[in-house]
Amino acid sequence: MLIRNLSKPVLAALAFMLAGCEGGVLDPKGQIGIDEKNLIIVATLLMLIVVIPVIFMTLYFAWKYRDGRDEEIYAPKWAHSTAIEVVVWVVPIIIVIILGVITWNSTHDLDPYKPLVHDAKPVKVEVVSLDWKWLFIYPEYGIASVNELAFPANVPVNFKITSDTAMNSFFIPQLGSQIYSMAGMATKLHLIANEPGTFEGISANYSGAGFAGMKFNAIATATTGDFDAWVAKVKQQGNTLDVEQYKQLAQKSENNPVQYYGSVQKGMFNYIVMQYMHPDSNMKSMDGMENMEGMHDMGNMKSMSGMDHAKHMQNMEHMADKDAEKHSGLSSPSHSTTEHSSTASGEAE
């Protein structure tokens, strides 16, 4: 009767706790997120092999040797047990070895810089974190959006990420890994959505007063046609994101609505990164840089110190590509057959 009376509130409590998992890392909708969830579960279960017996034995010994148990054997000179030593050392060592192997393999398989191997051509998105909003530039389509990210489901998305302010962390919990955005640097992330839907995107790194409103919707469209329709909508409704528009956008603001830019000045992402790469560059210097010869195409801009920024950016991108090859394991023929485990699963699906 007691168990029957307790069963309902216990089940209700479990349902309440599991409801908190909806929409988070434990409710993945992308293959990277699924692989990371499996890694969390496996690691947790392995650790519970030690934790559960320790908790059980702690309670058992406290009860067994409680005050008043005069019949228990008193052995004050007991000092060693080979059987206990074997158990307390061998079991953790085996678990640590298994965890080490799993962690090693997962670290390489889930490397955020590692491009996903997939039949579909990836969608390239350049991400800029601002105070306090997210700017998404689609270089292949010449458009941009604020606080709204769209891409087709079952198509890899290659993110290139930077910041025009304090360090933030780009994170779509249901799709997988987070990675930092930092001023003057470009980091990379590769994700895929296994099913259509709208997923919440956040900054996982506190960056000031407007941090709570620094969110966006990541929309995985059902088909590429739906994504093309979204691109067409942005082209029709948006303004042009040039240097002047960007300067206004970069001003601090909170709880920003979704904005569209139907065209984007060429080289905008590199320009945002490079403004922190020159010792004399900052937002104030953008006015002067605009008036420089060749600034109509920011990819050809020259440094005020005589340094060729375009060449420097090419070197940076070359280094980034080499770094990506190193992470992906595709730099040598011997690695050409290396396949992202998560992507392989994604293809199967």
Side-chain angles (χ1 to χ4, degrees):
M1 181 62 71
L2 178 62
I3 294 177
R4 182 180 299 176
N5 294 334
L6 291 176
S7 61
K8 290 183 179 179
V10 169
L11 290 174
L14 286 173
F16 178 77
M17 288 187 291
L18 291 175
C21 300
E22 184 178 357
V25 295
L26 296 181
D27 183 25
K29 302 298 182 184
Q31 194 57 50
I32 299 298
I34 292 172
D35 288 350
E36 291 177 345
K37 175 187 175 182
N38 292 337
L39 176 61
I40 292 172
I41 292 175
V42 170
T44 302
L45 292 177
L46 285 172
M47 289 184 285
L48 288 179
I49 292 175
V50 173
V51 172
I52 290 179
V54 168
I55 293 175
F56 172 77
M57 286 188 292
T58 299
L59 297 175
Y60 173 73
F61 288 132
W63 172 82
K64 182 176 177 62
Y65 297 104
R66 67 188 184 276
D67 188 24
R69 294 277 289 180
D70 298 333
E71 68 273 19
E72 298 298 339
I73 299 175
Y74 178 60
K77 296 183 179 180
W78 181 89
H80 179 76
S81 170
T82 302
I84 292 177
E85 291 289 341
V86 169
V87 171
V88 300
W89 283 105
V90 172
V91 173
I93 289 174
I94 293 174
I95 292 174
V96 168
I97 292 174
I98 295 174
L99 277 175
V101 172
I102 293 174
T103 303
W104 175 270
N105 292 331
S106 300
T107 299
H108 289 81
D109 289 341
L110 299 175
D111 185 344
Y113 274 58
K114 186 176 182 179
L116 304 181
V117 180
H118 200 279
D119 293 336
K121 180 184 177 183
V123 174
K124 295 181 180 178
V125 180
E126 296 169 338
V127 182
V128 182
S129 62
L130 301 164
D131 284 336
W132 285 271
K133 49 196 165 281
W134 292 95
L135 171 64
F136 303 105
I137 301 172
Y138 293 75
E140 297 170 315
Y141 299 94
I143 61 172
S145 61
V146 175
N147 286 346
E148 185 173 285
L149 171 67
F151 50 85
N154 295 309
V155 173
V157 185
N158 295 353
F159 295 102
K160 190 157 59 174
I161 305 163
T162 190
S163 175
D164 195 8
T165 178
M167 184 171 71
N168 286 275
S169 183
F170 179 74
F171 191 24
I172 307 173
Q174 288 186 277
L175 298 188
S177 306
Q178 63 168 315
I179 194 162
Y180 288 109
S181 63
M182 293 169 281
M185 300 179 67
T187 52
K188 292 186 176 182
L189 179 65
H190 300 85
L191 298 176
I192 187 172
N194 288 1
E195 59 184 81
T198 299
F199 314 115
E200 184 182 29
I202 61 173
S203 172
N205 190 76
Y206 180 73
S207 58
F211 168 78
M214 193 175 176
K215 301 177 180 178
F216 64 91
N217 285 328
I219 303 172
T221 61
T223 64
T224 54
D226 294 337
F227 174 68
D228 292 338
W230 181 85
V231 172
K233 182 183 71 173
V234 174
K235 283 182 175 293
Q236 292 174 357
Q237 300 181 8
N239 302 318
T240 298
L241 182 63
D242 54 16
V243 172
E244 287 300 324
Q245 286 290 325
Y246 177 75
K247 288 166 62 178
Q248 297 178 19
L249 178 65
Q251 297 296 318
K252 292 184 178 181
S253 58
E254 301 181 17
N255 300 314
N256 293 268
V258 174
Q259 292 176 250
Y260 298 131
Y261 294 94
S263 62
V264 179
Q265 191 168 344
K266 187 178 179 181
M268 179 61 72
F269 182 82
N270 289 344
Y271 182 70
I272 296 169
V273 175
M274 288 302 296
Q275 64 182 326
Y276 294 104
M277 298 298 290
H278 190 282
D280 297 326
S281 294
N282 52 41
M283 287 301 297
K284 294 181 179 178
S285 71
M286 294 174 74
D287 292 331
M289 297 179 76
E290 283 180 74
N291 297 326
M292 295 177 63
E293 185 179 359
M295 275 305 294
H296 297 293
D297 181 353
M298 286 182 286
N300 296 326
M301 64 184 180
K302 303 289 185 181
S303 163
M304 288 183 289
S305 65
M307 179 180 180
D308 189 328
H309 277 245
K311 184 177 180 180
H312 184 64
M313 281 304 302
Q314 290 175 357
N315 291 336
M316 287 182 59
E317 293 179 351
H318 177 70
M319 292 174 63
D321 291 339
K322 296 292 290 183
D323 190 41
E325 288 180 358
K326 182 180 178 181
H327 282 272
S328 65
L330 299 175
S331 57
S332 65
S334 62
H335 293 161
S336 61
T337 56
T338 303
E339 186 171 328
H340 198 299
S341 62
S342 59
T343 306
S345 302
E347 287 178 326
E349 292 187 9

